[in-house]
Amino acid sequence: EVRLVESGGGLVQPGGSLTLSCAASGFPFNYAAMSWVRQAPGKGLEWVSSAFTGGSKYYADSVKGRFTISRDNAKNTVYLQMNSLKTEDTAMYYCAKGDARVIRDSDLTRGQGTQVTVSS
């Protein structure tokens, strides 16, 4: 059974930083692309970033230069380092298995999410 467990969310002031973690199990993590997606109140899922096994990483324009995705294959964990946070980054953040850009939302395997709130 695929299991994804996110952690690290919280309340942070604009300009602050947070690092999210996602512990994965139930599938061969080393061979899987991993993504982060988010959902703001009243909006649909938004792709944030993806990391591939070959080392390639991709970012949405809205977070490019501020967020960094990384993965530790020894720990079956993917991270999202978020710097220079803005109020518009407020959302529930989900870790997802695969390249979320090409998977239908209804077919996306994701965790329970971790809330990030950016507010002064």
Side-chain angles (χ1 to χ4, degrees), residues 4-74:
L4 302 169
V5 180
E6 302 93 337
S7 61
L11 173 63
V12 63
Q13 292 186 341
S17 298
L18 278 176
T19 299
L20 307 183
S21 300
C22 171
S25 61
F27 63 98
F29 182 84
N30 288 13
Y31 299 103
M34 297 297 297
S35 300
W36 286 95
V37 297
R38 65 187 181 185
Q39 187 166 25
K43 296 189 177 180
L45 278 179
E46 176 190 14
W47 171 73
V48 175
S49 181
S50 296
F52 292 79
T53 57
S56 298
K57 301 175 184 180
Y58 300 92
Y59 300 93
D61 288 344
S62 58
V63 307
K64 201 172 294 182
R66 301 187 298 121
F67 289 12
T68 302
I69 190 171
S70 61
R71 56 190 298 162
D72 185 337
N73 289 340

Side-chain angles (χ1 to χ4, degrees), residues 87-103:
T87 55
E88 52 263 44
D89 293 318
T90 295
M92 184 72 78
Y93 283 72
Y94 300 93
C95 166
K97 178 178 175 290
D99 182 357
R101 296 173 297 176
V102 299
I103 300 173

